[in-house]
Amino acid sequence: MFKSVLVANRGEIACRVFRTAKRMGIRTVAVYSEADADALHVREADEAVLIGPAAARESYLDGAKVLAAARATGAEAIHPGYGFLSENADFAEAVAAAGLVWVGPDPKSIRAMGLKDAAKQLMIEAGVPVTPGYQGADQSDETLTAEAARIGYPVLIKAVAGGGGKGMKRVDAAEDFAAGLASARREGAAAFGDDRVLIERYITRPRHIEVQVFGDRHGNVVHLYERDCSLQRRHQKVIEEAPAPGMSEAVRAAVTGAAIKAAKAVDYVGAGTIEFIADASDGLKADGIWFMEMNTRLQVEHPVTERVTGVDLVEWQFRAAAGEPLPLKQEQIRLNGWAMEARLYAEDPANGFLPSIGRLEHFVLPEDIRVDTGVEQGGEVSQFYDPMIAKLIVHADTREAAAAKLAEAAGEVEIWPVRANAGFLKRCLEHPRFVAGDVDTGFIAAEEAGLQPVESAEANLAALTLIAEAAAETVETRADPYSPWGGQPGLSYGVRLNASAQTTVWAQVDGRGVSGEVAPVETGWRGAEGLSVQVGFDQVQSGDRLFGYQAVEDGFVLFVNGEARRVTPYRAATGGGAGAVSDGSLRAPMPGKIVAAPLKPGDTVAKGQPVVVLEAMKMEHALTAPFDGVVESVATVGDQVVEAAVLAVVKAAD
């Protein structure tokens, strides 16, 4: 076994690899960009090397700099994590040429499975069932358009070098094909340096089933059962679980057998995942599951497999890379219970799931489950990298118990001022369809209305009580310079003290007006309906519900079921903000680059029609017209813009 390893990655996966390496007595080396100088993975490593500016192409994607860091620190092996250089065959070859151990599959295996079109053809030759489609070399618009018509709409356009939903576009009608093709090509070129695409038949009720495989240099290949990653948004996985719900032993044998056949076809060594698409219109059937692609690396969702099998996949990676045989034979790998993982993203579900960036001034994660993260309180969520900030992983005896446990954990998340999707995750996990296992990749889009936040009377009362208590303290201290109300009398800020000792309170919760009556009692406060409210150091109990809170300028942040709700006294509350379009101005919701401007000044535009496309955090975001009108101005393609910059102006139609 090698004695030191450099992890050519960042964030939670770097921290996760370090955890196993330290347990095995392997010295750890981190690399980092200027944006990550204070990152958690840098501090957790035994040694760290700066490799360049914030932009990934000048740091984490620069293989020469990574190799130089390995040489400078005496690292004997390189683990690529996932993303960045993890599936770059040229880099894998360069690592071996430098006399270092590559903790991953052979370059020839990466190349064989790295391009979706070539991989599909290889699987056809190996007898693995594949999704009907087109993966030919002719990439002309005319040929691709004709092939889409032959396959039949809806179709899925996919970048041949793609992954993680990038360069993937669903097209439902012929008239939309050209726009979908152009967008897929742009994303493919930007993310992978390759604008080629393939086309597949779109399965109307698809489920995403994948099989974890593992090979060694002694000819052994095993599977570690399947995962279900069907709960997705924009082709990005949101919740993953193992095993797959509704999976019979016969179907499991068919899909794991196909996965083993696929891995053996490329002489696979190390951890890999064979991804399948299943037609869920009539349950899982052996003849209704097709090969989609292979990921020649460790997957983001690998912890759920670890929890149901008891295997440390990173340890297996190290052992396979060192030439050791697999620790277990196929018959020794057993399924135990049910595991689920939720991806905690820095994004705002209330604002179209736009990524949220900034400093994590308040960051609390559940303590009684497995949490894989690469950030901590005081850390920064950067515009330069993926917005995933943590993974919440649970294990239980049954699927129902696992879902309930994960929902409870998501509800305990407290993050501010960066917005996160914890509340959204909780609602997904508690949705009756999800609990019943009735999930396909269209679940979130179909159930959008039922996944919106629900107003809580107890949370409203807690919010009013916080305002009343702060105002009452101000009345007592009058000109206390440290008061959150600036020393002004509390009754000027949404509180009216009545002769009956009842206090009528007005507040705004996320800009929505709330009012009610509370009264101070010996043990705290009481609502008009008799509900008791207790306020502690950093928690408030309203009835049977316990909420976390934090005082901020002009009010509080109340943490309710995984969501941060901004609570302000009624008179102190204000509106507005970046992205407002009431005047026809389309503002950048975050820093980014203009990659498309389909309209020019003077063009007429319909409400909802894309006006300008912003690329940020590795994804495209189309800003659309807020009403029918005429384009007055639009940003130039290639411009780098800051948050809240005006990207276009639309004048309302007369």
Side-chain angles (χ1 to χ4, degrees):
M1 178 62 63
F2 40 82
K3 297 180 180 180
S4 57
V5 62
L6 180 149
V7 177
N9 218 294
R10 63 179 299 279
E12 65 87 15
I13 186 56
C15 293
R16 189 266 170 273
V17 174
F18 291 158
R19 193 161 61 243
T20 291
K22 290 179 179 180
R23 179 175 60 77
M24 297 177 67
I26 300 172
R27 186 172 68 90
T28 57
V29 179
V31 291
Y32 65 95
S33 70
E34 292 173 353
D36 280 340
D38 297 321
L40 183 61
H41 80 276
V42 174
R43 295 198 303 279
E44 289 201 346
D46 294 319
E47 190 171 356
V49 179
L50 174 66
I51 57 172
R57 64 181 177 275
E58 300 178 52
S59 51
Y60 297 108
L61 286 172
D62 191 324
K65 290 181 178 178
V66 173
L67 286 172
R71 286 192 292 268
T73 58
E76 298 176 19
I78 291 182
H79 190 302
Y82 47 70
F84 293 139
L85 296 168
S86 63
E87 294 179 281
N88 187 312
D90 292 340
F91 179 66
E93 286 180 340
V95 170
L100 305 176
V101 176
W102 168 250
V103 185
D106 291 338
K108 65 176 183 176
S109 301
I110 298 175
R111 287 196 175 94
M113 289 298 197
L115 297 178
K116 291 181 171 62
D117 53 350
K120 287 186 68 174
Q121 187 59 44
L122 180 62
M123 292 300 99
I124 292 171
E125 295 169 1
V128 177
V130 302
T131 312
Y134 171 77
Q135 55 271 351
D138 187 345
Q139 291 283 303
S140 67
D141 290 4
E142 295 77 15
T143 296
L144 294 173
T145 302
E147 288 295 329
R150 178 187 63 80
I151 295 166
Y153 290 96
V155 298
L156 199 60
I157 306 172
K158 301 169 71 172
V160 298
K166 301 173 186 67
M168 186 182 299
K169 301 295 174 184
R170 172 181 171 175
V171 179
D172 293 313
E175 57 267 26
D176 300 323
F177 185 79
L181 176 61
S183 183
R185 282 172 166 167
R186 280 196 305 269
E187 285 191 2
F192 313 108
D194 190 338
D195 68 353
R196 291 176 297 158
V197 301
L198 59 83
I199 306 172
E200 292 179 346
R201 187 176 84 190
Y202 185 83
I203 310 300
T204 54
R205 278 214 67 195
R207 278 179 63 181
H208 183 122
I209 308 288
E210 60 187 35
V211 177
Q212 178 72 60
V213 294
F214 217 104
D216 63 20
R217 297 197 180 281
H218 303 271
N220 302 306
V221 178
V222 299
H223 71 79
L224 292 95
Y225 299 96
E226 80 282 355
R227 299 185 288 256
D228 190 306
C229 307
S230 298
L231 200 79
Q232 302 179 6
R233 191 189 66 78
R234 289 185 62 185
H235 308 295
Q236 292 274 7
K237 299 168 187 175
V238 177
I239 293 173
E240 302 102 347
E241 57 184 304
M247 178 68 74
S248 69
E249 287 303 320
V251 176
R252 174 172 291 133
V255 72
T256 55
I260 293 290
K261 189 182 295 184
K264 287 184 174 180
V266 293
D267 300 320
Y268 199 77
V269 174
T273 299
I274 313 295
E275 300 195 350
F276 296 88
I277 188 168
D279 186 347
S281 57
D282 191 25
L284 294 177
K285 296 182 178 180
D287 60 355
I289 301 181
W290 302 279
F291 171 86
M292 189 163 55
E293 63 182 336
M294 182 178 190
N295 287 302
T296 53
R297 54 173 168 78
L298 198 66
Q299 290 279 89
V300 176
E301 58 273 20
H302 75 274
V304 296
T305 294
E306 294 183 325
R307 295 308 305 271
V308 294
T309 62
V311 168
D312 184 330
L313 290 172
V314 174
E315 178 180 343
W316 277 33
Q317 284 187 298
F318 287 155
R319 296 195 181 283
E324 297 181 16
L326 295 180
L328 297 175
K329 298 183 183 300
Q330 186 65 69
E331 60 270 19
Q332 296 175 301
I333 303 171
R334 304 291 187 191
L335 273 176
N336 175 33
W338 215 284
M340 285 188 184
E341 171 183 292
R343 300 190 187 191
L344 186 63
Y345 283 108
E347 62 185 12
D348 187 0
N351 191 23
F353 292 92
L354 287 175
S356 179
I357 61 175
R359 185 172 179 269
L360 294 162
E361 297 177 5
H362 184 92
F363 186 63
V364 177
L365 299 177
E367 297 181 347
D368 58 346
I369 66 168
R370 174 173 169 176
V371 175
D372 286 9
T373 185
V375 294
E376 60 187 345
Q377 185 160 297
E380 193 86 12
V381 177
S382 168
Q383 64 170 300
F384 297 102
Y385 311 115
D386 189 275
M388 189 180 73
I389 53 178
K391 300 183 303 194
L392 312 179
I393 306 114
V394 301
H395 182 263
D397 291 337
T398 66
R399 185 177 187 276
E400 292 76 11
K405 187 175 182 179
L406 188 53
E408 181 180 4
E412 294 173 358
V413 171
E414 300 180 7
I415 299 178
W416 180 263
V418 172
R419 293 290 184 172
N421 67 332
F424 174 76
L425 294 172
K426 179 178 174 65
R427 290 188 293 277
C428 286
L429 290 158
E430 293 177 335
H431 193 283
R433 269 190 61 192
F434 181 85
V435 174
D438 179 19
V439 178
D440 56 52
T441 59
F443 173 87
I444 289 176
E447 303 297 337
E448 184 175 2
L451 299 176
Q452 298 303 311
V454 177
E455 187 172 351
S456 165
E458 291 173 321
N460 287 346
L461 181 58
L464 295 171
T465 303
L466 288 171
I467 294 295
E469 180 166 276
E473 290 176 357
T474 305
V475 170
E476 293 176 5
T477 58
R478 289 292 173 179
D480 178 4
Y482 299 104
S483 165
W485 316 121
Q488 297 298 317
L491 54 85
S492 297
Y493 286 86
V495 178
R496 183 179 66 208
L497 303 179
N498 296 338
S500 63
Q502 284 285 349
T503 302
T504 302
V505 184
W506 297 268
Q508 286 199 350
V509 180
D510 287 340
R512 173 177 42 82
V514 174
S515 64
E517 291 187 344
V518 296
V521 294
E522 185 177 353
T523 58
W525 295 79
R526 191 182 306 281
E529 68 287 354
L531 191 64
S532 178
V533 181
Q534 304 287 329
V535 178
F537 177 70
D538 58 0
Q539 291 181 322
V540 53
Q541 182 164 354
S542 181
D544 294 330
R545 302 288 299 280
L546 193 66
F547 306 108
Y549 76 89
Q550 177 182 341
V552 295
E553 184 179 0
D554 288 336
F556 298 88
V557 176
L558 187 66
F559 298 102
V560 180
N561 296 328
E563 293 182 309
R565 297 192 174 180
R566 185 75 161 85
V567 180
T568 54
Y570 191 77
R571 283 188 56 185
T574 59
V581 296
S582 59
D583 62 348
S585 298
L586 304 183
R587 297 179 180 271
M590 70 198 82
K593 178 181 179 181
I594 305 300
V595 294
L599 300 177
K600 61 182 183 298
D603 287 348
T604 58
V605 63
K607 180 180 179 181
Q609 183 177 352
V611 179
V612 64
V613 180
L614 178 73
E615 182 186 70
M617 300 186 87
K618 302 196 289 187
M619 296 293 284
E620 289 189 359
H621 308 275
L623 279 70
T624 61
F627 36 66
D628 295 345
V630 177
V631 177
E632 285 196 334
S633 64
V634 63
T636 302
V637 172
D639 283 355
Q640 292 283 349
V641 298
V642 298
E643 183 177 355
V646 176
L647 306 185
V649 176
V650 177
K651 180 181 179 182
D654 296 332

